[in-house]
Amino acid sequence: LPGKNRAIRASDFLILVQGRQPIFHNIIKELKARELPVAGADRLNVGQELAVRDLLSLLKFADLPEDDLSLAEALRSPLLGFSEDDLFRVAHGRGDKVTLWQSLRRFEDTYPAQLALLWDVLNQADFLRPFELIERILTRHKGRENILTRLGLEAEDGIDELLSQAMRYEQLEAPSLPRFLNWFAAGKVEIKREMDAAAGQIRVMTVHGSKGLEAPIVILPDTEVRKGNRDSSQIIALDDGGFLWKSPKEMMPAAQMEAATAAKDFADQERMRLLYVALTRAEQWLVVAGAGDAGKEPTSSWYNLVCNAMEQSDWMPVEQTEVAGVGVCSTVVHNWSEEKMNADSKDLKADRKLPDWACSIAPTLTNTKSTFSPSGMGGAKVVLGGDGVDSDTALRKGRQVHLLLENLAKAKIGNREASARRLLVGHCLPVDDGEFEAVLAEAVSVLDDPDLAYLFARETLAEVAVSAEIPEMDNAVMDGIIDRLVVTPDRALIVDFKTNFVVPDAPEKTPDGILRQLGAYRSAMLQIYPDRVVDVAILWTATRELMVIDHDIVMDALQTTPTS
């Protein structure tokens, strides 16, 4: 650069267009395709970005699995990669009462990867913040990689802004997925970025947005005749402050002709003011190009105005140069300095060094205690018998009944069925109405049993998370959840719900896996309530039998648990 010779940097370039037409987005796309540092669009309508819409479709499905349209959009997106044939195979012929999600689950062997992603999103939707859920999709499930592979690097701007909006939402209110989706859809989220040259990136923006900015090199690629900018409004403002409904050309009154002429003159003046802004943004070099039709009239386009001014000037020496693939170009002759670049000229990033801790491997943690879950202590958990039920059905029933007992205890009796239908979704969704009615009847029969009412009183605790060192397990740390805990001044009763179709006829015949789990819970509660008697019991929901188990039985079972 004249006066301060140095290598050109990406931040030296400012590319200005008249509006956010296709050329605006294509320029950013091409710069990213060539791996050049570019700041992206100066304004971004986040909700209209294709990558954002794909992510939102998957989030809407996580919020409401019965939303067939959102699931179909997510399946066809790069996140899940369904083809039209795949979607047709799953959706066609399923009937009116079968949702797309229910139909898709029948193709577990055909689409295992897609179902694994969908199950994970459903299972985490109620526990993760919206930001965490989106990031999980993008990182753990390679959503960002798949989107950029399909849509290109320009999609990254929308993804990053969606994450920023999710973080901003969490600063406004308690985070939840349904509220985030409603908040995001409630208004048009448009981001205006500050185009800072210090960021070291090529800036692409509109001329109007560049007011007050300058750059060593300014490129104007969009100087052709603007099309599609006609005023389509039916009302025209008059000079005296009134308004007039537009009439056809052959019926146009004089007042409308004068107003139309004044409006055209004002538009031409505004166009010239914008051209002045564009031309004066350049500190050293100005490149004016015309993509499209430059027009035949000298004033029909910015390109013609600049070209005519250069050719008619008597104080700027201009040469006509033939450029391959472009044509004849007018170039101002300038005696650029041939001096060598400054010896101290270097990349702005050259002095940036990561701190030592960023380049070193984190030390290995020592003396960390192992953690275990009560459900993973080994041993049988199912009572042997001829129930003929497969394991998937049994596990699903367990999740369903646990969920209903936890939540319906506080629901009004008349609202139980409606509440159950809202609760039993996702991985708890019944396969048909018969299964729904069966699990609801089993849960309600337990809740309505007068002998069990004290277990579901308001002062009892449900789904109690407990973590403690278990002496019988070499002080390993247990992380578990107790289904129901009833605490009185002299007693703590641990109740574990079991939905086995076959119920043992005596406590000592309870499977070892269940007894070990209860022993671990009792060991933890003895540390919390050393002044109380700690009892354990199993509530067999199929028979509504509360089986209190002797302390020696569960503690002996705990002692037999393998520790390695």
Side-chain angles (χ1 to χ4, degrees):
L1 295 176
K4 48 178 181 179
N5 286 346
R6 60 168 175 79
I8 292 176
R9 306 185 186 114
S11 58
D12 292 333
F13 289 90
L14 178 61
I15 302 176
L16 301 179
V17 296
Q18 294 188 56
R20 292 176 182 82
Q21 302 296 324
I23 187 174
F24 173 74
H25 301 285
N26 288 337
I27 289 172
I28 296 175
K29 179 179 179 180
E30 290 299 324
L31 291 172
K32 288 188 174 183
R34 287 164 171 75
E35 298 184 353
L36 296 172
V38 57
D42 59 336
R43 286 183 182 269
L44 187 69
N45 187 349
V46 182
Q48 294 302 313
E49 292 293 309
L50 190 57
V52 173
R53 291 162 63 184
D54 288 341
L55 286 166
L56 290 176
S57 294
L58 184 52
L59 295 179
K60 290 175 183 177
F61 160 75
D63 180 44
L64 184 64
E66 293 79 10
D67 187 346
D68 289 350
L69 177 59
S70 293
L71 176 56
E73 292 170 346
L75 289 173
R76 286 287 289 123
S77 75
L79 297 169
L80 293 163
F82 261 43
S83 66
E84 288 286 352
D85 289 341
D86 292 327
L87 184 59
F88 181 82
R89 179 189 305 176
V90 173
H92 182 65
R94 55 192 166 87
D96 296 335
K97 296 184 178 180
V98 179
T99 66
L100 183 59
W101 172 232
Q102 291 173 323
S103 177
L104 177 61
R105 285 153 52 193
R106 300 171 182 171
F107 293 83
E108 184 174 0
D109 295 336
T110 309
Y111 307 107
Q114 288 86 346
L115 277 165
L117 188 155
L118 292 171
W119 274 123
D120 183 65
V121 172
L122 279 175
N123 292 336
Q124 298 298 329
D126 291 336
F127 302 99
L128 297 181
R129 303 179 350 250
F131 176 88
E132 292 174 326
L133 187 59
I134 297 171
E135 188 58 52
R136 186 181 183 91
I137 295 169
L138 294 173
T139 305
R140 185 185 183 97
H141 297 292
K142 298 183 178 180
R144 183 185 292 269
E145 177 183 333
N146 293 333
I147 288 174
L148 297 185
T149 300
R150 174 89 68 84
L151 303 181
L153 293 174
E154 64 273 12
E156 198 160 25
D157 291 337
I159 296 173
D160 293 340
E161 289 299 341
L162 178 62
L163 286 169
S164 298
Q165 288 300 307
M167 188 67 74
R168 178 172 176 267
Y169 160 76
E170 293 174 10
Q171 297 171 353
L172 300 176
E173 58 178 289
S176 73
L177 182 58
R179 289 183 178 181
F180 170 70
L181 292 172
N182 291 335
W183 174 82
F184 191 87
K188 179 180 178 182
V189 182
E190 185 175 77
I191 305 301
K192 181 179 180 181
R193 294 179 173 141
E194 295 297 332
M195 292 298 194
D196 186 3
Q201 297 174 314
I202 300 171
R203 292 170 289 172
V204 184
M205 57 196 313
T206 62
V207 175
H208 187 273
S210 71
K211 293 179 180 179
L213 300 179
E214 287 186 335
I217 304 171
V218 172
I219 301 176
L220 306 179
D222 179 24
T223 59
E224 79 282 6
V225 177
R226 302 296 294 174
K227 296 180 180 180
N229 289 336
R230 296 176 57 188
D231 183 8
S232 59
S233 64
Q234 294 300 313
I235 297 177
I236 190 169
L238 303 177
D239 292 339
D240 59 4
F243 296 91
L244 184 68
W245 188 268
K246 287 184 179 179
S247 301
K249 186 175 183 179
E250 60 274 9
M251 301 173 60
M252 188 180 299
Q256 181 178 339
M257 292 182 183
E258 294 174 359
T261 301
K264 183 179 182 302
D265 291 342
F266 178 80
D268 291 340
Q269 293 172 16
E270 181 63 20
R271 188 167 65 99
M272 295 302 291
R273 282 192 289 269
L274 281 178
L275 175 59
Y276 171 80
V277 171
L279 298 177
T280 53
R281 298 310 94 198
E283 295 176 352
Q284 303 294 342
W285 297 353
L286 175 65
V287 179
V288 181
D293 181 15
K296 298 180 180 180
E297 299 296 327
T299 61
S300 57
S301 66
W302 285 2
Y303 185 87
N304 287 350
L305 286 167
V306 175
C307 186
N308 291 335
M310 290 176 62
E311 292 175 350
Q312 296 175 13
S313 172
D314 56 0
W315 55 273
M316 282 193 307
V318 177
E319 292 182 353
Q320 301 293 330
T321 306
E322 182 74 26
V323 179
V326 176
V328 178
C329 295
S330 300
T331 308
V332 176
V333 179
H334 195 293
N335 184 23
W336 300 108
S337 172
E338 298 297 333
E339 298 178 7
K340 293 183 178 181
M341 290 188 298
N342 296 338
D344 59 350
S345 176
K346 52 188 175 181
D347 192 344
L348 292 176
K349 297 182 180 179
D351 292 335
R352 299 179 183 177
K353 290 184 63 178
L354 289 173
D356 293 339
W357 59 263
C359 303
S360 60
I361 299 176
T364 303
L365 295 177
T366 57
N367 298 325
T368 56
K369 295 182 179 179
S370 59
T371 303
F372 70 94
S373 170
S375 60
M377 297 174 67
K381 295 182 176 62
V382 178
V383 182
L384 297 178
D387 51 40
V389 177
D390 62 272
S391 59
D392 289 342
T393 301
L395 290 173
R396 185 171 63 251
K397 179 191 175 186
R399 293 193 297 264
Q400 292 166 340
V401 174
H402 275 72
L403 188 62
L404 294 181
L405 290 178
E406 177 190 355
N407 293 277
L408 295 188
K410 300 177 182 179
K412 294 181 179 179
I413 294 178
N415 296 337
R416 283 175 174 174
E417 181 176 351
S419 298
R421 292 193 181 278
R422 290 194 296 268
L423 290 167
L424 298 183
V425 295
H427 61 295
C428 292
L429 185 69
V431 295
D432 52 35
D433 289 340
E435 181 177 305
F436 171 80
E437 292 171 0
V439 295
L440 177 60
E442 185 166 321
V444 169
S445 68
V446 171
L447 295 173
D448 288 345
D449 191 323
D451 294 334
L452 302 176
Y454 72 99
L455 298 180
F456 302 96
R458 289 190 174 274
E459 61 272 14
T460 60
L461 302 175
E463 296 294 310
V464 181
V466 58
S467 180
E469 294 181 0
I470 306 302
E472 296 81 2
M473 300 280 293
D474 293 335
N475 287 328
V477 178
M478 177 200 70
D479 287 326
I481 297 178
I482 297 174
D483 293 336
R484 209 78 188 181
L485 183 62
V486 182
V487 181
T488 61
D490 57 354
R491 184 190 188 208
L493 175 61
I494 300 167
V495 181
D496 197 39
F497 301 149
K498 293 302 177 186
T499 59
N500 296 45
F501 289 91
V502 178
V503 178
D505 52 14
E508 57 271 15
K509 294 183 180 180
T510 303
D512 286 343
I514 298 176
L515 294 177
R516 291 171 181 174
Q517 181 176 346
L518 292 173
Y521 288 149
R522 184 172 186 274
S523 179
M525 287 297 106
L526 283 171
Q527 301 173 53
I528 298 174
Y529 300 109
D531 58 338
R532 291 173 171 86
V533 175
V534 178
D535 291 326
V536 294
I538 300 174
L539 176 56
W540 302 99
T541 60
T543 60
R544 303 192 304 280
E545 177 185 354
L546 183 67
M547 180 183 288
V548 179
I549 302 180
D550 187 84
H551 301 166
D552 293 338
I553 294 177
V554 295
M555 301 313 288
D556 289 344
L558 179 62
Q559 296 285 356
T560 66
T561 305
T563 57
S564 61

